[in-house]
Structure formats: C-alpha cells, structure tokens
Amino acid sequence: MKYILSIDQSTQGTKALLFDEKGALLCRTDLPHKQIINDKGWVEHDPEEIYANTLQVVKNLVDKAGINKNEICALGISNQRETSVCWDKKTGKPLYNAIVWQCSRGAYICDELAKQGHADKVHEKTGIKLSPYFPAAKLAWIFQNVDGIKERAKAGEIAVGTIDSWLVYKLTGGKNFQTDYSNASRTQLFNINTLQWDKELIELFGLDEKCMAQVTDSDGDFGLTDFDGWLDTSIPIRGVLGDSHGALFGQGCLSSGMIKATYGTGSSVMMNIGAKPVMNDSVVTSLAWKIGGQVNYVLEGNINYAGAVITWLKDDLKLIEKPSETEPLARAANKSDRTYLVPAFSGLGAPYWKSHAKACIVGMTRATGKNEVVKAALDSIVYQISDIVNAMKDSAGITINELRVDGGPTRNSYLMQFQSDMLNIPVRVPDSEELSGIGAAYCAGLSAGIYDKSVFENLKRVSYTPSMSESERNDLYDGWKEAIAKA
C-alpha cells in the first residue's frame, strides 16, 4: 500500500490526515495548541509547540490507523495563512512567538505608510489592501521591537515567514527554507505581477531580503523529512498550500470561474480567475497556486460573521441551545416576514469595507418573533456570501455555473437551499469537511505520481438547485441592500 500524509496546521490546532493510494481519507488525528492572548488583545502561538504537535499528531495518526509507517510515500502541508514567525537560521529557534493573523498590533505601521502615500502602491503590487492583517506589518513590528533582529538580519542570520516555511524548515532539519506561491502572495511583500519578492516593499516595511524564503511551486520539491528520525526512510514534501487555497484545490476548482465558499466562524469565498490577475477594490487578488508550472490567480473575499452569527444566537441571545436548532426554527418562520439582520459586529468587510458600521436588525413588526430572528440570522450569512460572489462575477466578467461549499454550517439544508436560491446557481456540498488537508494531500500525491486527476472524483456531493422566482429573489435582495444602508 502507498499512503499520502497531510498536515493541516490551523489556528486552533494541528491535524494529521491519512489517504490511501486512491485518495480516500482513511484516518484523522488532531492536537490543539495554546492561544496566547494578552490584555492588549494581541494573539500569539508558540512555534515550538506547533512543531512538537506536528510530530506527535503524525505518530498518533499512524498508531490509530494501524498502518506500517514505512508505506507513507509523500507529505502535503496546508497552513493557517498570515500567521508570522521569525527564527534563527542556525539554531532553528524562534526569536519571538508567532504573531497570529487575527492580531492587529501592526496597525500603526500601516497607518504611517498610508500617511506617507504608499497604500495604492502596496495594493497595485500585491493585490491586497494595506492592512495589519498581513505578515508584512507583523514582521515589521518584530523588527522594531525585538533587540538585535535588524543587525542579525543584515548578516543573513534570520529567517522570517509564514507557518508553512517554519514547518518545512523544521521538518527538513534546516536544510530547506521555502514557501509556496499561495502563501507568498498573502505576505504583502510579494509582487503578484512579477512573481517575485518585491525589494521596494521589503525595504518599505523595514525588513531585509536575506530573510525571505525561496518561493517554490506549490507542487514542487520542499525537501525530505523523517520527522526527527521517527521514519526509517525520509519521505518527500511535495505539496504546500495556504489553507483556503488548499480547500479550493481540494474542491477541484482548477479552472477559471470555479468558486468555493468555506463556512466557518467567518467565511472565505475564493474564485479561480485563471492565468491573469484582475484588480478590484471590493475583494482582494492573490495567487491560487503555481502547479504544473502554471500560475493561477484568485479573487477572495472574507466575511467576519458566518457561523459566528449562530454562536451569537446561542451564547448571547440564548435563543437556541445548539446550532442544529436553527434549521427547524427558520423553516417555521413566517414566510412573509421581512426582518433582516446585518451582523456588522466588527464593521462590514468585503465588498462594503465600512469599518465603522454597526450591527442592526431591520424590518421587524409586532409579529416578528424568535423564529423570524433566527431565520434572519441564517439569511444574513447567505446575503453576505452572495454580495461577494456577485462582486467577483462583475469584476472578473466570468460566468459562475455553481458554488462549491464546505464547513460545518453546510449541514444546514435550509441555509444551503437559500444560498442556491439567492445566487440562482447550484450549490454543491461535499461529504467531507477536511478540504484544506485534502487539497494538500491531492497536490502532494499528484506531484509524487501516486494520484492522477481522477482523484478529484472521490468527493461525493449533495446538490441544491434554485427554486425561487426571479421577482422574489430580487425583492429579498433589494431589502438586504436597504438594510445594509442603515448599518
């Protein structure tokens, strides 16, 4: 038997996934890691803990699956994006905790660059808006606040990067310092037009070019690992992708116009736009990957409140005890009720970018009750994703034939049917939720010659098709736009 191993290193923990030689997911294990949050709201992870968990979760997986570890042929990695690490190239020791993507401590750095007139330049070169969300400002903060970093960087002694490059470096015993195109494109230091690290941007953020990883094709050669001597024979690392990009690949969205939405706490909507970038003020432009020597670009939009809206219903309003209750309540709601919830609890992101917007409930009548409010909360997820999909369609001028989705809330059939109705296209839900890890595994397996393109047929999908009239769809969506205007 030939097995493919996948590591999905996420914000909350690290998963190991095992796939057989036909691409079927056989087994999964995971370990959480500590969320380090101080009184300023800064969010960090311990890179050493993440690496130790990576080694342990693989050992746990092999024990749980009961396989011969020497039959593992290749490794793929998917990772939380934007989380930034700085370490000593010689010792492999972190010089500071990893600064997590959620942490905005670099906001003052971005504000200063914006005042200096650099915001448009950053957007033109990277496809993404100047923001502390991305690694450039996080790494700049480390360079400004950790003693000796700048001097050591000039001497070529420091490595900086995202979690994928940290894991590759550690897993190969420091022999390989590499990142892939998908992760590089999210750093705000990589020029997505020239496909190279941008020297001007690196200097703008006060960093040093000597610190940057070698950018490698997503299905390229990232070296060999034996997991610190645990394997008898080293295996190749042959697939590396940021988690959202991994999900896009795992969903089989390999050509222009194919689009996926991940429903989690928030939501990531990503559309493959082919071999040429399209710049847009509503959503960001990044690289999907570079696979088979070919670069694909994506448009991506993120919303803050998807599953988090359901959590709000449960924990704050106490309207439900568990998420599964939302579906029957929504179905029992008065169909003529036109209550809208705009979940702008932390402002509105794409495509509105109204950071000062406030959450609101609009259109209630005396007949509006629990069922209608729960329905409005579910509907708000659909409307927000529809906003992003429509913005992408208009920007790219590409016909969208279906939406592929993943994540826990996709089990709610009311939600999925309403999503199909509002977009007027089929919505397809796979039978697995591990799309990021699947994407990394398929990428590695294809690169290693274990899989062929038929591997994408492994995912079985349930399809929801539109059943709403055009007039009703337009009427509902117009009401949502009016509610947004009041937020």
Side-chain angles (χ1 to χ4, degrees), residues 184-198:
S185 74
R186 300 294 294 184
T187 62
Q188 206 147 67
L189 298 166
F190 189 78
N191 191 315
I192 64 169
N193 303 295
T194 64
L195 301 178
Q196 294 177 333
W197 293 120
D198 193 285

Side-chain angles (χ1 to χ4, degrees), residues 408-428:
T410 62
R411 292 191 291 268
N412 186 316
S413 60
Y414 168 83
L415 187 71
M416 293 297 97
Q417 182 59 55
F418 191 54
Q419 188 72 79
S420 176
D421 287 338
M422 289 312 301
L423 287 173
N424 198 29
I425 56 174
V427 169
R428 304 188 67 196

Side-chain angles (χ1 to χ4, degrees), residues 37-56:
I37 305 173
N38 71 5
D39 55 5
K40 296 178 182 177
W42 293 358
V43 190
E44 299 177 356
H45 294 155
D46 178 355
E48 295 277 37
E49 181 187 10
I50 286 176
Y51 180 58
N53 283 359
T54 299
L55 297 176
Q56 189 60 50

Side-chain angles (χ1 to χ4, degrees), residues 414-463:
Y414 168 83
L415 187 71
M416 293 297 97
Q417 182 59 55
F418 191 54
Q419 188 72 79
S420 176
D421 287 338
M422 289 312 301
L423 287 173
N424 198 29
I425 56 174
V427 169
R428 304 188 67 196
V429 185
D431 58 359
S432 175
E433 294 179 15
E434 306 294 347
L435 270 300
S436 296
I438 287 172
Y442 286 3
C443 184
L446 287 162
S447 178
I450 307 298
Y451 300 152
D452 59 34
K453 288 293 178 69
S454 66
V455 73
F456 293 101
E457 298 170 11
N458 278 319
L459 285 181
K460 308 303 178 190
R461 291 183 168 91
V462 174
S463 290

Side-chain angles (χ1 to χ4, degrees), residues 196-215:
Q196 294 177 333
W197 293 120
D198 193 285
K199 187 174 181 179
E200 183 182 13
L201 293 181
I202 289 170
E203 291 176 353
L204 200 62
F205 283 95
L207 306 176
D208 196 292
E209 210 169 0
K210 298 187 188 77
C211 300
M212 309 308 296
Q214 175 189 342
V215 184

Side-chain angles (χ1 to χ4, degrees), residues 135-152:
K138 301 180 194 302
L139 296 170
W141 185 93
I142 292 176
F143 271 54
Q144 290 181 15
N145 290 276
V146 178
D147 290 342
I149 290 281
K150 288 183 180 179
E151 294 74 21
R152 297 190 63 198

